[in-house]
Amino acid sequence: MDEVEVVVAHSERATLRVGDVFLKVDTDRARTDVEVQAMALVPVPTPEVLWRKPPVLAIAAVPGTVLGRLGEPSTASPAAWAAAGAAVRRLHEAPLPPWSGRRRRSPDELAAELDAECASLVTNGVLPAGLVTRNRQVAEAAIRPWTQVFTHGDLQIEHVFVDGDEVTGIIDWSEAGPGDALFDLATLTLGHEEHLGDVVAGYGTDVDIDVIRAWWSLRSLLGVRWLVEHGFDPFAPGCEVDVLRSRT
């Protein structure tokens, strides 16, 4: 019998791997609904849905290996990073999905969320005030009107699989919906600034690099407390807190 591997687990959801099958258990059925719908719509490689019995979704493993991991050097080639950028471009050119998305639907909503999170980080002593203030200033460039595109919504580097220089699959679509294209690009390159040029080259159109850098600060500020509360370590080398320190 195949061993059961716990891929990720916290109070909201868990993912288990049994051989070539991933079992995703989610307390929020709406997230799973979005994931299944998104994978059926997007023009990029996604896992095959094997079966679904709420709260469990079973999907097949995709071939290849992850593009990289946050906090570790990526061994993927520049061409693989460019291929990831090209795949993201195809996603962003797809018709908008028929749902509104789960969060950050406008610049005003984003600014309010960020201000509240920054205040919490300082008040509770999670991060030094100076570090938060500086990154809040950097993040300001991301808070502007944007044209809605079909976004992945959580395009972490570990969610993109490659085989050689080809993208073989993009996983974890539960946050997909209309959003800011540069948020996806920033999430993909978070902690891997050295590959930003490769991704942008593959994306194939002009992008505002300053906004991507702003999103690095913004995403990290919004993520630190959640990560700590759910058993992850944003203070690990190369992770979110180091990203924030690199902006000062």
Side-chain angles (χ1 to χ4, degrees):
M1 176 179 289
D2 291 315
E3 292 185 353
V4 176
E5 175 192 355
V6 179
V7 179
V8 63
H10 51 77
S11 60
E12 295 179 1
R13 56 188 123 170
T15 300
L16 310 176
R17 180 169 187 169
V18 185
D20 289 332
V21 177
F22 286 87
L23 302 175
K24 305 187 71 173
V25 185
D26 199 322
T27 59
D28 184 347
R29 180 167 179 169
R31 272 196 297 253
T32 308
D33 289 343
V34 165
E35 179 152 16
V36 171
Q37 292 178 71
M39 288 192 294
L41 291 174
V42 295
V44 297
T46 62
E48 176 189 0
V49 176
L50 300 176
W51 52 265
R52 183 183 182 193
K53 186 176 181 179
V56 182
L57 171 67
I59 61 175
V62 297
T65 57
V66 294
L67 187 61
R69 299 186 187 281
L70 186 61
E72 301 177 10
S74 170
T75 60
S77 68
W81 280 88
V88 177
R89 177 65 182 275
R90 292 196 297 275
L91 169 64
H92 292 169
E93 290 180 337
L96 289 174
W99 59 87
S100 61
R102 298 173 57 88
R103 57 182 179 173
R104 299 166 198 159
R105 300 175 186 176
S106 72
D108 289 342
E109 182 181 343
L110 180 61
E113 182 182 359
L114 179 60
D115 287 342
E117 195 61 36
C118 288
S120 175
L121 291 171
V122 173
T123 299
N124 294 303
V126 179
L127 292 175
L131 184 65
V132 172
T133 298
R134 170 57 183 150
N135 277 275
R136 175 62 181 84
Q137 293 169 344
V138 173
E140 187 68 31
I143 304 173
R144 85 280 178 230
W146 58 76
T147 299
Q148 300 272 45
V149 300
F150 197 145
T151 60
H152 180 282
D154 190 23
L155 195 62
Q156 301 176 45
I157 185 175
E158 294 182 39
H159 292 165
V160 179
F161 282 71
V162 296
D163 184 1
D165 299 337
E166 178 184 356
V167 173
T168 55
I170 300 177
I171 66 171
D172 285 358
W173 291 86
S174 61
E175 302 296 329
D180 181 5
L182 299 189
F183 174 69
D184 270 354
L185 294 176
T187 303
L188 179 63
T189 55
L190 183 76
H192 289 274
E193 185 170 356
E194 70 277 10
H195 290 293
L196 176 59
D198 299 324
V199 170
V200 171
Y203 194 74
T205 186
D206 290 338
V207 299
D208 192 327
I209 300 298
D210 287 338
V211 173
I212 291 178
R213 296 180 189 277
W215 267 118
W216 288 339
S217 289
L218 204 161
R219 180 182 171 91
S220 297
L221 287 169
L222 291 178
V224 165
R225 182 173 57 87
W226 186 94
L227 290 166
V228 170
E229 291 176 351
H230 288 78
F232 301 100
D233 186 9
F235 292 87
C239 294
E240 285 81 2
V241 175
D242 272 357
V243 171
L244 294 172
R245 290 171 178 153
S246 72
R247 300 300 104 198
T248 59

